[in-house]
Amino acid sequence: MKKLLPFLLTALLLTGCASSPETVPTVQTTAATSVPTETVSPETTPAAGTAYVSRFDSETAIVLSDGGITVNGGGETQTVFTSHDIVYYENKTAYDSGNPYGDGGEGDMHTAEEADAHTVVNITAPGAYRLSGTLSAGQIRVDLGEDAASNPEAVVELILDGADITCTVAPAILFQNVYECDGDWDAETAQATVDTANAGANLILAENSRNVVSGSYVAKIYKDAEGEKKLVKQDGAIYSYMSMNVYGPGALDLTAENEGLDTELHLTIQGGDIAIRADNDGINTNEDGVSVTTINGGNLHIIAGLGAEGDGIDSNGYLVINGGTVVASANPASDAGLDSDKGSFVNGGTVIALGSTMDWAESDSAQVTMNLQFADYQSSGSAIVVKNEDGDVIFAYDPSEDEVLGENMRRFQGAVISCPAFAQGQNYTVWLDGTVTGEETGGVYASVTAYDGGTQLQYTGTDVARGGMGGMRPAGEKPEGFDGEHPQKGDKPEDFTRPAGEQPPERPDGETSATPEGKAFPEGERPTLPEGETMPEGEPPEGFAPGGMDDASGEPSTAFYMQDMVNAFSGISPVSK
């Protein structure tokens, strides 16, 4: 097993932004104990990320309006001013030279009249800028010059304090040129630990504020030259070419015509009450094999893929969740609540990710996590509830109480759920539907006083098979040719044929699948663990079989046993009556 430990302590900030060359300690979790009947453990309270502390002694106040802006109560300045030069995807397919214009289609194009109706608010100097008011057709563009990426002083703090910004032809907020704190990144040495404390792009949601941002995107535009080299491409409603931080504690309602929060390199979310509704990915970081999306705190509710496709959170590198609450729903056709190319790690907080395909949490995660694959599609309107052996509810999420997901119920077949109350070596039951009563925020329950009418679930397979560990890929790796679809029970390669006269391996009495080399382990014995690994504390439930079938009855198991930090269960269905 790959022993990568890509975890940040929630309150720890390393110097600079480059990937750490040393192993960072994991976030410590506490084993769950019995809780009062129908009460969720208080440990499920979201962890807070690093608080926002300005590096500047003063702020510039910008009040937005469709009739113009005021800057510190006066007019525009040399460093804060408006223009009508927004970058957008034009209504054409080729330049006058005959060179192709871009790879966008008709739906990506906009007229000059549409673009000219937008006002660009330009910020061109370092500092803290507090934005309020309404800009119904415009963009906030931060551009400190072409040399800013290598200048540690080229930092902007954009404080949204009751701001309402709409842009229909491009991103509503654009960090174009600021300091890139990970300027020495290298794909060969990239790791999942990254510190963006000194990043030049900072978005702060002011306390007690509600901010509304609705943005579009710019499809890929080529340079007017042979070879179709990229000139510009801005995928997100809030887009940064450099690494970006998002701080709370205020609220952000983000609606995206394409992707929601989007950066070229790294993104770190430290807090905030954030709701994202996106036609494509809810969050995306897009440097292949390098980008790190880190969530240290906050309350995120994401409904993605409202168009043809889209993952809840999509990192082209790593995804690391250390704290907060993360609820992410993907397009029901073929996308995941969590998706990463190099590995998704759940180290803390409360996580609910729903989709059709799932990029499972990695085995190196520091918090106990369930990866659930259902036999059939489920309604995303169904409550998901987990009980401990005493029958106490220790986890509950009801999407009908979630303002973001509840307004657009969609089916799912895969789910990743995790919370601090889960403990290794413990046995749980999982339930769907029913009525949950208690204290909740966005459908995530801090306490439950009653749960009625739910359906208990069973499963037929796990990531542990007789004969050893199996089913979990090494951290960050995918099989050659992997297309995001997980094989279903009984699937075989299209060209599979069994040699003439050859029969499947004989199965030992009572076994439902062949064990390695056709050998059965002696009754009551378990396979030898790899050197250096030990079994978790506690005993598996009576009758537990790693393959998912109850030893005594031969029926599917209802005992969701947390043998590892990350546990996958498949073939999940309602308990037979």
Side-chain angles (χ1 to χ4, degrees):
M1 180 184 298
K2 188 175 180 181
K3 291 300 180 184
L4 175 65
L5 298 177
F7 316 132
L8 290 173
L9 287 172
T10 299
L12 179 64
L13 285 176
L14 306 178
T15 303
C17 178
S19 299
S20 171
E22 298 180 357
T23 300
V24 178
T26 61
V27 175
Q28 298 299 314
T29 58
T30 303
T33 58
S34 296
V35 294
T37 301
E38 305 289 25
T39 301
V40 176
S41 166
E43 292 179 327
T44 59
T45 302
T50 301
Y52 161 65
V53 178
S54 179
R55 63 185 292 175
F56 300 100
D57 295 330
S58 61
E59 299 177 355
T60 298
I62 303 174
V63 179
L64 307 171
S65 75
D66 293 335
I69 64 171
T70 63
V71 182
N72 287 335
E76 299 181 10
T77 69
Q78 288 186 334
T79 57
V80 181
F81 57 91
T82 61
S83 64
H84 289 272
D85 58 348
I86 196 167
V87 175
Y88 68 102
Y89 197 96
E90 298 180 27
N91 186 19
K92 63 184 181 183
T93 59
Y95 288 101
D96 293 340
S97 64
N99 290 321
Y101 175 68
D103 67 358
E106 184 176 348
D108 305 311
M109 297 177 179
H110 300 281
T111 65
E113 289 75 17
E114 287 179 279
D116 290 343
H118 285 72
T119 299
V120 178
V121 178
N122 297 276
I123 296 174
T124 62
Y129 299 85
R130 186 174 293 267
L131 275 65
S132 61
T134 299
L135 186 62
S136 60
Q139 178 186 79
I140 310 301
R141 182 169 66 197
V142 178
D143 187 354
L144 305 192
E146 294 181 356
D147 297 331
S150 59
N151 180 5
E153 301 302 316
V155 174
V156 166
E157 298 170 358
L158 208 59
I159 308 165
L160 303 186
D161 191 359
D164 189 333
I165 306 164
T166 299
C167 186
T168 61
V169 300
I173 297 176
L174 175 66
F175 287 94
Q176 185 162 332
N177 286 301
V178 292
Y179 176 56
E180 177 48 69
C181 56
D182 194 9
D184 296 327
W185 65 263
D186 186 330
E188 296 298 322
T189 59
Q191 297 184 31
T193 54
V194 65
D195 173 42
T196 59
N198 293 328
N202 299 276
L203 188 68
I204 299 96
L205 309 174
E207 187 173 6
N208 299 321
S209 73
R210 180 176 182 269
N211 304 280
V212 179
V213 176
S214 178
S216 186
Y217 62 99
V218 180
K220 184 186 290 185
I221 300 173
Y222 301 134
K223 294 179 180 179
D224 188 3
E226 295 182 4
E228 300 182 358
K229 293 183 178 179
K230 183 177 73 173
L231 175 65
V232 64
K233 185 173 185 282
Q234 301 164 358
D235 289 332
I238 297 178
Y239 194 84
S240 178
Y241 282 96
M242 313 297 175
S243 296
M244 179 170 67
N245 297 310
V246 178
Y247 296 90
L252 170 65
D253 288 344
L254 178 60
T255 301
E257 192 176 350
N258 189 37
E259 295 175 349
L261 281 172
D262 203 322
T263 74
E264 292 277 325
L265 198 53
H266 307 306
L267 172 67
T268 302
I269 297 177
Q270 299 285 8
D273 191 357
I274 301 172
I276 300 176
R277 301 166 178 86
D279 273 17
N280 204 311
D281 298 334
I283 292 175
N284 185 275
T285 50
N286 54 40
E287 184 60 47
D288 291 347
V290 177
S291 288
V292 182
T293 299
T294 306
I295 300 172
N296 290 328
N299 183 25
L300 280 75
H301 290 251
I302 302 168
I303 185 164
L306 293 174
E309 61 181 4
D311 298 308
I313 302 176
D314 183 356
S315 173
N316 287 11
Y318 302 90
L319 170 59
V320 182
I321 301 174
N322 293 321
T325 296
V326 178
V327 181
S329 173
N331 186 285
S334 60
D335 293 293
L338 306 179
D339 181 36
S340 62
D341 290 351
K342 300 292 286 184
S344 298
F345 301 87
V346 179
N347 304 325
T350 299
V351 178
I352 306 103
L354 307 176
S356 294
T357 61
M358 298 306 299
D359 189 8
W360 303 127
E362 298 294 335
S363 57
D364 285 340
S365 295
Q367 180 167 285
V368 174
T369 300
M370 293 185 187
N371 296 329
L372 307 176
Q373 190 71 34
F374 292 83
D376 297 302
Y377 276 99
Q378 307 297 316
S379 167
S380 60
S382 300
I384 302 176
V385 172
V386 179
K387 296 181 180 181
N388 63 15
E389 291 187 19
D390 296 327
D392 303 326
V393 174
I394 63 168
F395 173 91
Y397 169 68
D398 186 353
S400 67
E401 300 295 333
D402 186 334
E403 292 183 1
V404 180
L405 273 68
E407 66 191 18
N408 196 318
M409 297 296 185
R410 298 182 301 176
R411 64 182 187 169
F412 66 93
Q413 195 168 10
V416 174
I417 60 174
S418 182
C419 75
F422 292 171
Q424 195 175 5
Q426 298 297 309
N427 179 40
Y428 302 110
T429 57
V430 180
W431 303 70
L432 272 184
D433 298 318
T435 301
V436 185
T437 305
E439 180 184 350
E440 55 84 27
T441 300
V444 180
Y445 282 79
S447 64
V448 174
T449 56
Y451 175 57
D452 302 297
T455 299
Q456 188 174 5
L457 301 179
Q458 62 188 9
Y459 63 94
T460 59
T462 71
D463 64 331
V464 183
R466 291 187 183 276
M469 306 293 180
M472 295 297 290
R473 59 182 168 85
E477 298 179 12
K478 291 182 173 66
E480 184 177 353
F482 177 76
D483 61 1
E485 295 286 349
H486 293 275
Q488 299 299 310
K489 184 177 180 180
D491 285 354
K492 297 181 178 66
E494 293 182 2
D495 58 352
F496 175 84
T497 58
R498 195 179 301 281
E502 183 176 323
Q503 298 297 319
E506 293 185 4
R507 300 174 179 174
D509 292 340
E511 290 291 344
T512 59
S513 62
T515 53
E517 300 179 2
K519 297 179 180 179
F521 288 99
E523 183 177 355
E525 292 190 15
R526 309 180 73 174
T528 302
L529 291 172
E531 184 177 353
E533 295 194 13
T534 60
M535 289 296 294
E537 294 182 4
E539 292 296 327
E542 183 177 353
F544 172 80
M549 307 299 285
D550 187 281
D551 278 341
S553 66
E555 296 296 323
S557 177
T558 59
F560 288 73
Y561 178 60
M562 301 295 103
Q563 177 161 306
D564 304 308
M565 294 303 293
V566 177
N567 305 269
F569 303 92
S570 60
I572 298 174
S573 63
V575 171
S576 302
K577 299 297 184 181

